Every structure is written in structure tokens, then in C-alpha cells.
Amino acid sequence: MGNMTNMVARIPNLVDWSTGEARLMSRKCDSCGTYFFPREHYQHRPGCSREGVKDVLLPKKGKLASYTIQYYACPPPFKTEKNITPYGIGLVEFENEKIQVAGIITETDLKSLKLGTEMETTILSMFANEEKQEVVTWAFRAVK
Amino acid sequence: MREVYIIGTGIHPWTGFSEKVFSDFATVAVDGALKDANIEWKKIQSIMAGIFIYGGNAGHLTGQYLESIFGETGVPVVNVYNACATGSAAIRMAYNSVAAGETDTALAFGADVSPQGFLTAKSDNAVQDRDVIRWKMTAMPNPVYWALECRKRMAKYGTTEEDLALVKVLMSEYGSRNPDARFKKVYTVDEVLKSVYVCDPLRLFEICPVSTGAAAVVITTDKELISKANKPVKINATTMGSSMYGDPTIRISALSCPAVPEAPMLSESYSASRQAYEKSGIGPENIDILELPDNSSWHYLVYLETCGFCKEGEADKMLRDGQTKIGAKLPVNPSGGFSSHGEALSAQAIWQVIECANQLRGRCGERQVKNPKVAMAQTYGLMGNSGTTIVTI
């Protein structure tokens, strides 16, 4: 993670780093127990009263439930300063929350990836904006 | 509900990027369907059109634009979008209009001109359009979703890279026999395994590209038109399904999925197919031909299971044993499938139904299945869209 004071998320309300560590911004429904990511992607259990939905942060760490290595550059609107291909995309499972979340895999030897690998949430800098801030997204890396 | 028959089918052959407009392709397909049905335009009492999402205002009102070309008659025209299952929605609406007695004869069509390269975000507004998040934040074109599911399948059921390649080999063989297919080169397992990874474990030849194409069907309950038609095909059921809570599949455009399954994978297709089985009284054991949505080799395998043609984890064996070949128990995608056509979003489900109908009518030349009586077309689209159509002769 770069200089946290000079970072801005390309799209807000997805990843939080205000406590010094990167955590995904989820919501939990207290009525049906379902976690949502992104926060607005509500997927309530049928018949749920939808009462008591609150903002929560997902744990920092989870386990790799699946992954792929993408060899072709993703077309716009994706944007990075440098060509990042080939890049990994992981599906990381947060066991207690019963949710798997997708994200770019960074700072990890892609050949070493295995299902079940312990992963942690981090921040990936994609490019600098006109205000010279780092424009960032969330990403996952293997825990060392 | 009244009995409903397909009496005319028309296709504009699938092709790559084109400078022509969607209505040029649609006109060819609709002309073909009218001619095949042996009826004139003025007999069409309702038009159900698939929306061409990249076509702006014209693309969103495809039915009206098409009607003006053939001559406006004031009939009901409805345009519908259900992602890659758009054609299923158009056929279902046409069927319901005729079966319920609103109209006697209806046209369903879809025409799509491929944008070049990967399908990308349709807006730049992440607040209104959640789809934008995966493009700006996680760099996930559609095949990434299929690759994530494919990796899980390989770990769970032992699907091999050779299995994935074998799907392409079969599809390329059948596509080479289909004049309406876009890709006609026949591949060997070795050649497929030498193609580059797009998103490991899926290779270039194991995913379908975007294409241009158009397809149209004329359906009717009019006894006189049915008696004059050349081998009318009965629609026994045409249904649509949406997803079910707890479906563990990561759906295209989503960024998360449930970790603990409480519903079948691809539950939108589970739902659509089970509705069709119930409505028609026909089950997988009765079906002679299956057209399924092989957007990737993974889809080919999982759809055999989702639609109940074998148990979970058994599709690889069906494939390896040759049970899905033309001439075997269940010929799958004798058309060559999406692998040989590519996706033309609003048209593809209609083309699948046409392949089923024309197989039953014995019109499929070198890829003809011997004497089939029952066929099923299954498609699906992103974010919980799926359609099933079962036809008989």
C-alpha cells in the first residue's frame, strides 16, 4: 500500500483504509443474515423483512476459493499506468460472513496460487489523477 | 392455452463485425421466416422484438424500426431485453400472446451487430450501473467469471484441460457442417491445447467471441396456416427463469457470491428448465437433441448437469464416452453451438430454437440428427436470466 493520505478510490464506498489496513465495505442484514458486496448489491433471503441492514467491514483475511490468470489487457474503462497483464483475479472467501468476493491479485507469485491459500485484502494503485493523488482499488495478496 | 406452432424460421448467417446496421440483418431473417411460413407480412398480428442494446434509440425500438421496413400495420410491438436470453424473452412473449388468444400469428426476432472486442460497460455511472464497478475496479471481462467457475469445477470434479479442449473439437466439427455458423475450421485436441490462455484455465478456442447475426420465427395457432406450412413444429413449453437465493455461481457483473450454496448452480437455468419440464410433461430422458449455451467449454459441461441430463460431476464422463455426439444418445449442439457462432445477444436464443425446429424438420444437411422427435433449446444471460424452449414434431 502506498502513501495512504494521498490515495483516492476510483469508485467510493468499496474499500476502507481509514484504520491503517485495507478492508472491504460490506453490509449485513440482521434479519436474514446475508452479507452484501458491494454494499448496494442487496440479495435478501425471500420473505426477509429487510430490517436492520447495517454497514460492516469484512475481515482483512480470507481463503482463496478460486482464481484465474487473465492474459489479455482488460479494455477501458479499466485503466492502469503500466500494463499489468498477466494479472490474477481471485475469489476470496470470508468464511464467517459466508461470502466470496472477487478482486485483482497483487504482490503474489501467480504460479504459487493454490485453492485454499490464505489471502489478505490490500490496496492497488492504478494511476495518478490530475491532483497527483493515487487512484486505487482493492486487491488481494497471499499472506506471507 | 391454445396449441402453438412454429411455421417459419429465418436466419442471417452469423458473421463478425459489420458496418451494416442491425435492421439489414433483421430484414434477411424476417424475410426468410415469412417465406418459409408461406405467409405475407400482413398476416403478422404482433411483433416481439429483442432489443439491440448497442444500437441507441433504434436498437431499443427494434420492433418499430423493423415494422416500418415491412410496412406499418398498427399491430402490438413490444421490445424486450433480458441480456443474452433476450431472444428467449421475445419468443416467450410471442408464444403467450398466441397461446392466450390475444393474437393468432406472431413474429419474434432478434438482430445484433457485434461491438468489436470484449463486451464492455454500457455506462460510466457506477452509482446507477453497478456493472461499471467490475470494469473500473477489478478488470473482469465476462470470460473471467467463467474461468473462476471452471477452476472450481476442475478442483471438485476432476475436469481436465483435455475435456475442455474436447468440447471445442466436437463443436468445431459440427460448426464446419453448418452454413450459418461463423467459424468453420475443424480443430484437434492438440491444436486447442496450443491456443493461448485468455483467462487460465480457459483458452482462446474454448470461449466464444461476440458476433453479428439475426434470427426470426413466425408462430401461429391458425389451423389454416398450420395446414399449409411445411412441417410445423409444436412449441410444448417456452419458459424463463431467474436466479434463486443462495445460488453459489458468481454471476457476470457481480463482485461477490454466496460461499454456502442453498440453491443449485446457475439456478436461473435450473428454474427455467424445470418449469419447461413441468409445463410440457417432457423430461430430459425424452429429449433427442439439446442446444445449450456453450459460451465456454465450462458451460457445455455444467449445463448438462444444470438441466438434469446427468448428475453433478458426471458431464465430463458423458463427453469422454461420446454420449453427446450426433448419432449417440443425446446429440448436444449439432449446430456447432456458440463456440462456432459467437454471441449475437438478442438473436442467439432464437437461432437455438430454429436449430431445434429445423432438426425436427429434417433440414440440417450434414449435421442432421437421425429422426429426432423432441428438442430443447436452453440459453442464459447475465444477472439471472434464462430461457428454455421445448419443441416436438
Side-chain angles (χ1 to χ4, degrees):
Chain A
M1 301 198 324
N3 174 7
M4 288 191 184
T5 57
N6 196 33
M7 297 193 313
V8 59
R10 191 165 178 205
I11 297 174
N13 301 322
L14 292 162
V15 59
D16 176 86
W17 59 84
S18 60
T19 61
E21 64 176 16
R23 306 268 295 271
L24 292 167
M25 299 166 76
S26 172
R27 274 189 182 133
K28 183 193 179 189
C29 173
D30 277 341
S31 297
C32 69
T34 315
Y35 283 75
F36 314 117
F37 183 83
R39 300 193 308 192
E40 296 77 14
H41 188 176
Y42 298 115
Q43 289 187 288
H44 290 280
R45 184 181 290 277
C48 173
S49 67
R50 307 192 307 279
E51 287 166 7
V53 175
K54 62 185 185 201
D55 290 345
V56 291
L57 297 177
L58 292 178
K60 183 175 171 65
K61 292 178 184 174
K63 287 206 166 122
L64 193 63
S66 190
Y67 67 93
T68 175
I69 299 163
Q70 167 79 18
Y71 285 85
Y72 277 58
C74 185
F78 189 67
K79 181 179 166 186
T80 48
E81 228 147 52
K82 295 174 196 156
N83 179 3
I84 62 165
T85 52
Y87 59 95
I89 301 221
L91 201 49
V92 171
E93 177 162 331
F94 299 94
E95 190 180 358
N96 291 336
E97 292 72 19
K98 299 180 185 169
I99 191 171
Q100 297 178 353
V101 178
I104 294 172
I105 296 173
T106 187
E107 299 169 47
T108 303
D109 174 12
L110 296 177
K111 289 196 183 94
S112 73
L113 289 173
K114 283 195 181 76
L115 301 190
T117 300
E118 190 177 30
M119 306 291 285
E120 61 186 2
T121 313
T122 184
I123 298 290
L124 175 67
S125 177
M126 297 188 284
F127 56 91
N129 63 16
E130 285 174 3
E131 289 80 43
K132 299 198 171 152
Q133 293 171 299
E134 285 183 53
V135 179
V136 305
T137 185
W138 77 91
F140 299 116
R141 67 182 173 203
V143 175
K144 283 172 185 157
Chain B
M1 299 287 263
R2 306 190 292 177
E3 291 201 337
V4 178
Y5 288 81
I6 295 172
I7 57 167
T9 64
I11 283 182
H12 184 292
W14 258 232
T15 177
F17 178 72
S18 173
E19 295 294 338
K20 288 200 284 184
V21 298
F22 73 91
S23 50
D24 296 335
F25 294 95
T27 303
V28 171
V30 172
D31 260 334
L34 292 170
K35 194 176 166 199
D36 182 28
N38 195 26
I39 65 169
E40 56 179 274
W41 172 249
K42 284 191 251 175
K43 286 279 188 189
I44 300 295
Q45 296 171 359
S46 63
I47 300 169
M48 303 302 175
I51 288 173
F52 166 47
I53 47 168
Y54 294 96
N57 195 46
H60 285 72
L61 295 164
T62 48
Q64 277 75 8
Y65 275 71
L66 188 279
E67 187 193 24
S68 77
I69 292 169
F70 283 83
E72 291 167 341
T73 54
V75 301
V77 175
V78 182
N79 304 284
V80 64
Y81 178 65
N82 280 70
C84 300
T86 291
S88 305
I91 288 182
R92 180 178 170 279
M93 289 197 307
Y95 172 89
N96 283 343
S97 172
V98 174
E102 182 200 30
T103 60
D104 290 338
T105 303
L107 169 73
F109 81 95
D112 226 277
V113 178
S114 163
Q116 286 175 290
F118 287 119
L119 298 174
T120 60
K122 296 168 207 72
S123 84
D124 194 38
N125 182 338
V127 177
Q128 295 293 340
D129 180 3
R130 219 165 46 212
D131 186 45
V132 172
I133 299 173
R134 61 143 165 164
W135 292 105
K136 289 192 173 179
M137 302 297 267
T138 58
M140 290 168 69
N142 294 2
V144 164
Y145 289 84
W146 310 334
L148 289 170
E149 290 296 343
C150 190
R151 172 96 53 203
K152 283 185 177 177
R153 179 182 179 88
M154 292 168 95
K156 194 170 179 186
Y157 298 124
T159 300
T160 64
E161 294 220 25
E162 285 73 20
D163 294 331
L164 302 176
L166 187 53
V167 172
K168 175 64 182 178
V169 171
L170 264 188
M171 292 300 89
S172 70
E173 169 64 33
Y174 299 160
S176 76
R177 306 182 202 170
N178 184 351
D180 293 329
R182 175 178 168 192
F183 301 106
K184 300 198 173 74
K185 182 174 167 7
V186 180
Y187 291 93
T188 64
V189 168
D190 274 354
E191 285 169 335
V192 179
L193 289 177
K194 278 180 188 149
S195 71
V196 295
Y197 282 123
V198 172
C199 38
D200 178 357
L202 293 175
R203 296 174 184 274
L204 183 62
F205 295 154
E206 295 165 352
I207 58 172
C208 77
V210 288
S211 285
T212 294
V217 289
V218 174
I219 68 172
T220 191
T221 191
D222 183 323
K223 290 195 168 56
E224 193 187 328
L225 296 184
I226 294 167
S227 70
K228 282 200 290 190
N230 181 0
K231 297 186 182 170
V233 171
K234 185 180 174 186
I235 300 179
N236 294 70
T238 184
T239 59
M240 291 210 76
S242 59
S243 299
M244 295 150 76
Y245 177 88
D247 177 345
T249 323
I250 183 157
R251 291 176 215 153
I252 292 177
S253 102
L255 292 158
S256 66
C257 59
V260 180
E262 292 191 40
M265 282 203 66
L266 294 164
S267 57
E268 63 274 38
S269 298
Y270 179 91
S271 166
S273 59
R274 296 323 185 272
Q275 288 177 56
Y277 299 153
E278 190 179 328
K279 282 194 162 76
S280 66
I282 290 169
E285 66 283 1
N286 311 116
I287 287 163
D288 300 323
I289 293 173
L290 173 63
E291 282 286 331
L292 55 71
D294 59 319
N295 299 57
S296 74
S297 290
W298 167 72
H299 291 79
Y300 183 103
L301 296 168
V302 71
Y303 262 94
L304 289 168
E305 298 163 7
T306 296
C307 295
F309 288 87
C310 63
K311 290 186 186 143
E312 262 188 53
E314 292 182 354
D316 312 82
K317 187 172 186 310
M318 275 184 82
L319 172 73
R320 289 173 205 155
D321 291 352
Q323 294 177 44
T324 59
K325 286 183 175 177
I326 293 175
K329 187 166 177 287
L330 179 71
V332 173
N333 293 4
S335 64
F338 288 16
S339 172
S340 303
H341 285 75
E343 289 202 89
L345 303 191
S346 61
Q348 60 207 32
I350 299 175
W351 145 68
Q352 289 181 298
V353 171
I354 291 176
E355 176 71 14
C356 288
N358 287 342
Q359 283 282 354
L360 299 186
R361 298 158 106 187
R363 291 182 176 183
C364 289
E366 291 178 37
R367 67 184 192 284
Q368 179 65 47
V369 173
K370 197 176 170 191
N371 204 24
K373 300 290 180 203
V374 187
M376 169 167 150
Q378 175 70 46
T379 193
Y380 97 123
L382 60 74
M383 286 312 284
N385 284 292
S386 182
T388 306
T389 300
I390 294 177
V391 289
T392 56
I393 199 161

